[in-house]
Amino acid sequence: MLDNQLEKIVLFMLEQQGLLAKRLSALREQQDTSFQQGSILDVSEVREAYQSVGQDLLRLLFFVEMNAIALRKILKKFDKRLGYGFTNYYVKTRANHPYSQLQQIFKHVGFGAVVGAISRNLADLQDNQGSYVSIYDQPLLHLQDPVVTSIRVAVDRLTNSTNFLHFMGKHAMIVQEDLPSPPQDDVDEQTFDLMSLLLNLMNTFLYMVNTYIIVPTADSYSLSLGAAATVCGAVIGSMAVAQMFSSVYFSAWSNKSYKRPLMCSSVLLLVGNVLYALAFDLNSISVLLIGRVFCGLGSARAVNRRYISDCVPPKLRMKASAGFVTASALGMACGPALACLFQVKFKFFRLTFNDDTLPGWFMALAWLVYLVCLCISFKEPPKPEFNILSQESNRGQKTHNTAENGLEQPLLEGSEEKKQDDDDEDDQDYDQNDDDSEENHKPATSIVAAYRLLTPSVKAQLLIYFMLKYAMEILLAESSVITGYYFKWSTSSVALFLACLGLTVLPVNVLVGNYISNMFEERQVLLTSEIIVCIGIVLSFKVGFPYSVPQYVISAVITFVSAEVLEGVNLSLLSRVMSSRLARGTYNGGLLSTEAGTLARVVADGTITLAGLWGESRLLNTTLFPSLLICISSIVATCFTYNSMY
């Protein structure tokens, strides 16, 4: 039955491609005849005709994608209800057969030919009217018609092909709609302000610098205030504790405004850094911790994500999302690097400036300058509610147009009547494709409602995110204590080491985005990365023999780099399978992933502080053991949900 339905889909697809090809051929003949006879050609009319063909091709791609999703759901339900692993058998036998109908669903040679014809003729109309210069002889095609861009995005989604830009965009965990949207009105582009976006990204960059600039000196600062070196875990973690609360209230505030939350964030971070710097002269560990709590309360990462999701035009949203991830990565690397420059000591108006306090004073000045620029240059965009209503209207219109063209045909007969009965909890990740009812598109209104939208595979991926953030935080937060105890490294050495680790983020993401994710399935990369993280943690343990610098550096690089690969692939996969109801609203997918990562940092920093009670000699193994257990748990969870991620 499934083979018969696939054959019906493929034959319909080929029939529609033939009709589109016939229309393109007629347009080309009209164009050539006009050039040969020297008659005047209505360029705008012909261009609209080509764009109309492109729109119909885009609807055909929507049809194929909906049926591909239906195929996944049918196979998954078959496995679940009959308890038999039919999916692997069916895909293996059908995908590799020389006459595979399944390959026709996921490989699109015909689509590429139609896109090429549309692109070439549109370029000919715009740039080379009446000439014989071909786009194939030009190194770069400047024309990027919106319909061609939309088709390419749809084909990429269907083939799961990716590149660095799209990989980084998904890494930002800004959940996109399931089907590529048609080009929006010019209103979004008219109201969009580039300087506001840059200021939004600058907030992300400065916050990450603020987070990691104190890591190399947190232990020495704690010692200078009379506390144990391992209190650095509490100093670093207090910021993460406060961030768990700030993420929620800033996300809710962004429903009404973007500028005010960013201003409030800057003020809180300014105050927090001043308190952090004054703690040395006040000789108070309490003031130090309060300062870091204020810094955590100023975390506006939820606003940063929300601004990109709601206020950036669709054609720029992927680039803005990639910019968000890049800004975070650069901030993570610049924080420790800046700590290397603060190796001075002097007094000014009874205030002490040294390697412990200068990070606080420097960041306070940076946030003051940023606050001034924010007040002057940031423009408040239209209310998010308006954008949401506009998106809903566009989505409804799109569905109506698709239905009119007869492309919403069910994969199996009678499936329309059985949709509600068949869709159980395990299929919520694709429920948004089943119907367009108002209820199914409402954003989650609470953390509990958002949690109910999570499928087992999504929960497993959030556990993976928790694990990798926990492992990375253990590695980074205790680096100054471990290297000082075993190797007597200076603050500059620790800062340089952490900066080099941070600089690996972008090259690793380029490698994964351009090559690895196209060569292997994301599930395979996911499981392999988890295993390598586990190996890196095991290599970090001190067992019997003296602990050496090569062992520490090699194990740290393995753990950190594999965790970075894992984070990118995990969030990219998570952004695709998470419910579209989590794409907007206060309790969105970005907030959930932020909370999971922040909770991991809190637990990791708390582990470091508690482990310090047994002394620095036992700190390493004591903190690595929970990390190893969580890593093994995430691997087990991945294996159990492997088939459900298909």
Side-chain angles (χ1 to χ4, degrees):
M1 290 175 61
L2 202 54
D3 286 340
N4 291 339
Q5 296 302 321
L6 282 176
E7 183 177 287
K8 186 185 298 185
I9 295 167
V10 171
L11 293 178
F12 174 77
M13 184 174 67
L14 294 174
E15 178 189 2
Q16 294 299 314
Q17 287 181 0
L19 294 174
L20 294 176
K22 187 175 181 180
R23 290 168 60 186
L24 286 173
S25 179
L27 287 170
R28 185 71 236 183
E29 285 184 16
Q30 175 187 350
Q31 201 171 329
D32 291 341
T33 303
S34 176
F35 286 149
Q36 289 172 3
Q37 297 178 354
S39 58
I40 298 175
L41 180 70
D42 190 343
V43 175
S44 61
E45 182 179 340
V46 177
R47 183 182 292 116
E48 288 179 2
Y50 278 118
Q51 290 173 341
S52 175
V53 174
Q55 291 288 354
D56 288 341
L57 179 63
L58 191 58
R59 294 190 185 100
L60 183 59
L61 279 166
F62 292 156
F63 162 79
V64 176
E65 180 163 11
M66 283 188 291
N67 281 282
I69 291 171
L71 173 63
R72 293 190 183 101
K73 294 181 66 174
I74 289 169
L75 291 172
K76 186 167 66 174
K77 288 179 181 178
F78 193 97
D79 287 350
K80 178 184 176 183
R81 295 184 179 179
L82 299 184
Y84 175 72
F86 179 71
T87 298
N88 291 336
Y89 160 77
Y90 188 84
V91 173
K92 183 184 294 184
T93 53
R94 268 61 176 176
N96 298 323
H97 196 275
Y99 306 123
S100 171
Q101 302 283 10
L102 195 61
Q103 286 279 13
Q104 297 297 322
I105 299 292
F106 295 101
K107 302 294 182 183
H108 311 291
V109 178
F111 285 122
V114 177
V115 173
I118 295 172
S119 300
R120 189 181 76 82
N121 286 288
L122 284 174
D124 189 49
L125 284 172
Q126 177 164 320
D127 298 329
N128 306 309
Q129 297 183 35
S131 76
Y132 293 96
V133 180
S134 171
I135 62 170
Y136 302 108
D137 300 321
Q138 301 175 12
L140 181 65
L141 178 62
H142 298 288
L143 177 70
Q144 287 292 338
D145 192 271
V147 69
V148 176
T149 303
S150 298
I151 293 170
R152 286 173 179 163
V153 171
V155 171
D156 282 346
R157 282 179 57 85
L158 225 50
T159 59
N160 286 330
S161 65
T162 185
N163 55 37
F164 172 66
L165 178 64
H166 286 78
F167 179 78
M168 293 287 278
K170 292 175 182 176
H171 192 165
M173 200 49 219
I174 297 170
V175 182
Q176 306 291 335
E177 295 298 327
D178 285 334
L179 297 178
S181 348
Q184 286 192 357
D185 298 331
D186 293 333
V187 178
D188 282 340
E189 296 190 19
Q190 292 174 1
T191 57
F192 170 67
D193 182 61
L194 179 60
M195 180 57 68
S196 299
L197 173 62
L198 293 177
L199 286 170
N200 182 65
L201 296 178
M202 182 58 67
N203 182 280
T204 298
F205 171 77
L206 288 177
Y207 183 78
M208 293 304 291
V209 172
N210 210 143
T211 300
Y212 289 98
I213 196 172
I214 70 150
V215 172
T217 57
D219 60 332
S220 62
Y221 205 167
S222 301
L223 286 171
S224 66
L225 298 181
T230 52
V231 174
C232 68
V235 174
I236 298 171
S238 56
M239 187 173 181
V241 172
Q243 185 181 344
M244 293 185 65
F245 300 97
S246 66
S247 296
V248 177
Y249 71 72
F250 272 133
S251 182
W253 198 351
S254 63
N255 289 325
K256 299 180 179 179
S257 172
Y258 292 98
K259 186 174 183 177
R260 291 177 183 175
L262 290 176
M263 291 176 63
C264 179
S265 164
S266 304
V267 172
L268 288 171
L269 282 155
L270 173 62
V271 173
N273 282 289
V274 169
L275 290 175
Y276 180 85
L278 288 175
F280 188 90
D281 292 302
L282 297 175
N283 194 29
S284 172
I285 191 71
S286 300
V287 174
L288 183 72
L289 293 172
I290 292 172
R292 290 296 287 179
V293 167
F294 268 86
C295 289
L297 291 175
S299 171
R301 288 176 68 80
V303 180
N304 303 144
R305 281 192 175 98
R306 186 77 179 276
Y307 182 87
I308 295 172
S309 178
D310 290 349
C311 305
V312 176
K315 69 178 184 179
L316 296 177
R317 194 171 299 152
M318 190 62 73
K319 292 181 180 179
S321 302
F324 174 84
V325 179
T326 304
S328 300
L330 291 176
M332 183 179 181
C334 287
L338 285 171
C340 294
L341 306 177
F342 299 144
Q343 304 303 307
V344 293
K345 185 175 182 179
F346 61 92
K347 282 208 169 193
F348 185 73
F349 288 111
R350 297 184 179 180
L351 296 177
T352 303
F353 294 84
N354 56 24
D355 57 345
D356 294 331
T357 62
L358 275 172
W361 292 120
F362 175 82
M363 292 310 304
L365 178 62
W367 284 112
L368 179 61
V369 173
Y370 174 78
L371 181 60
V372 173
C373 295
L374 191 69
C375 295
I376 296 173
S377 302
F378 190 90
K379 295 181 180 178
E380 187 72 70
K383 293 292 181 64
E385 289 81 4
F386 170 80
N387 292 340
I388 292 172
L389 290 174
S390 176
Q391 291 171 9
E392 294 291 342
S393 175
N394 288 336
R395 186 184 299 108
Q397 182 65 34
K398 177 187 71 181
T399 304
H400 176 67
N401 291 339
T402 307
E404 284 184 343
N405 285 273
L407 298 181
E408 286 195 271
Q409 300 179 5
L411 183 67
L412 296 178
E413 296 178 2
S415 62
E416 292 286 345
E417 292 80 4
K418 298 180 181 179
K419 280 176 182 175
Q420 295 299 325
D421 296 334
D422 287 346
D423 287 332
D424 53 23
E425 187 178 3
D426 284 345
D427 297 306
Q428 287 176 358
D429 46 343
Y430 297 115
D431 275 352
Q432 60 270 26
N433 297 284
D434 289 343
D435 57 69
D436 286 303
S437 65
E438 183 181 355
E439 184 66 27
N440 270 18
H441 287 289
K442 286 183 178 179
T445 55
S446 66
I447 286 286
V448 175
Y451 183 79
R452 287 174 180 169
L453 293 173
L454 304 182
T455 63
S457 60
V458 173
K459 292 175 184 177
Q461 287 173 267
L462 288 176
L463 174 62
I464 293 171
Y465 191 58
F466 178 92
M467 178 275 292
L468 68 92
K469 284 297 182 183
Y470 183 92
M472 290 173 66
E473 187 70 10
I474 288 290
L475 171 64
L476 298 175
E478 69 179 16
S479 58
S480 57
V481 181
I482 296 300
T483 55
Y485 179 79
Y486 288 105
F487 317 130
K488 309 300 179 186
W489 280 9
S490 64
T491 300
S492 299
S493 300
V494 178
L496 183 62
F497 172 70
L498 294 178
C500 291
L501 276 182
L503 288 174
T504 63
V505 173
L506 289 179
V508 166
N509 281 318
V510 170
L511 178 65
V512 176
N514 284 335
Y515 302 104
I516 295 179
S517 60
N518 288 325
M519 295 170 61
F520 304 98
E521 291 185 17
E522 287 182 329
R523 297 172 298 165
Q524 296 172 332
V525 180
L526 197 74
L527 187 58
T528 303
S529 300
E530 286 182 87
I531 294 172
I532 297 176
V533 170
C534 189
I535 292 172
I537 294 172
V538 171
L539 292 177
S540 300
F541 278 90
K542 180 185 181 301
V543 182
F545 47 85
Y547 204 56
S548 62
V549 173
Q551 180 187 353
Y552 176 76
V553 172
I554 292 173
S555 61
V557 170
I558 291 174
T559 302
F560 188 84
V561 171
S562 56
E564 279 298 327
V565 173
L566 181 60
E567 180 177 4
V569 174
N570 186 56
L571 289 181
S572 175
L573 185 59
L574 191 59
S575 68
R576 289 213 316 268
V577 302
M578 190 171 278
S579 170
S580 64
R581 291 177 62 186
L582 295 174
R584 52 193 183 275
T586 301
Y587 304 95
N588 51 64
L591 177 63
L592 291 179
S593 60
T594 299
E595 291 291 283
T598 306
L599 179 62
R601 292 179 54 206
V602 171
V603 176
D605 293 324
T607 303
I608 294 172
T609 303
L610 292 176
L613 299 176
W614 286 278
E616 293 183 22
S617 60
R618 299 181 180 179
L619 177 66
L620 182 65
N621 289 351
T622 306
T623 53
L624 287 176
F625 185 70
S627 185
L628 180 62
L629 290 180
I630 297 173
C631 186
I632 293 173
S633 301
S634 72
I635 293 174
V636 173
T638 302
C639 293
F640 272 111
T641 57
Y642 193 84
N643 286 331
S644 65
M645 291 182 187
Y646 171 75

